[in-house]
Amino acid sequence: MLTLVDAILNGAAFIGTNPDLLLPTDNGFEPGAGATITAVAAATQMKPLIVGKPEAHMIETALSRLRTARGSTLLIGDQIQMNIQARKRAGLPTVLVTTGVPAREDPSLIPPDFMVSSLKEIEVPPMITGSSRQRRA
């Protein structure tokens, strides 16, 4: 991490993928990218540019590349604080999968449009599954 701090202090751009503090594991949780970003930000007194959720940069790029309409594109995530809040910035309907980090009580957070306990609960209409576009697993 010292090399990272030195690079930022010497003018390198400070870019973070996401500010997730916790990541779920089979045995509980582990520090996420946000934990490292927070430590580096404290050490350098610099604020990073976050390019992933909850910011809309990545979502806007995906919508553009996939050429899908906002109203027919779901944002699916497992954290209200990061994934679902990206909806506020991108204007997409959201699905919360409850296998992620438990939600903190925070009335300022936008709730998801839908909640499921497994991705298997999300029904995909036949017109989408039978389309000519290749689907990735």
Side-chain angles (χ1 to χ4, degrees):
M1 197 171 334
L2 285 177
T3 303
L4 177 59
V5 169
D6 284 338
I8 293 168
L9 289 174
N10 286 309
F14 186 9
I15 299 172
T17 56
N18 64 74
D20 293 351
L21 295 174
L22 291 175
L23 296 176
T25 69
D26 291 339
N27 300 319
F29 297 95
E30 65 182 28
T36 301
I37 290 168
T38 300
V40 173
T44 62
Q45 297 295 293
M46 301 287 286
K47 184 176 177 180
L49 168 66
I50 301 298
V51 294
K53 297 173 282 185
E55 302 304 326
H57 309 291
M58 178 176 60
I59 297 165
E60 295 298 335
T61 299
L63 288 170
S64 174
R65 288 185 181 176
L66 295 171
R67 294 185 221 116
T68 60
R70 286 179 201 282
S72 62
T73 304
L74 286 174
L75 188 147
I76 301 171
D78 66 351
Q79 294 189 38
I80 287 180
Q81 294 88 348
M82 299 301 156
N83 307 133
I84 304 307
Q85 297 317 294
R87 163 214 179 173
K88 180 192 314 186
R89 295 176 173 103
L92 297 175
T94 59
V95 177
L96 176 68
V97 183
T98 59
T99 56
V101 176
R104 295 178 295 200
E105 290 297 319
D106 185 341
S108 70
L109 296 177
I110 294 175
D113 295 304
F114 306 98
M115 287 179 49
V116 296
S117 60
S118 166
L119 290 174
K120 293 177 183 177
E121 293 180 43
I122 300 173
E123 293 185 28
V124 179
M127 64 183 199
I128 293 175
T129 58
S131 72
S132 60
R133 288 185 86 171
Q134 291 273 338
R135 291 185 66 203
R136 294 183 184 179

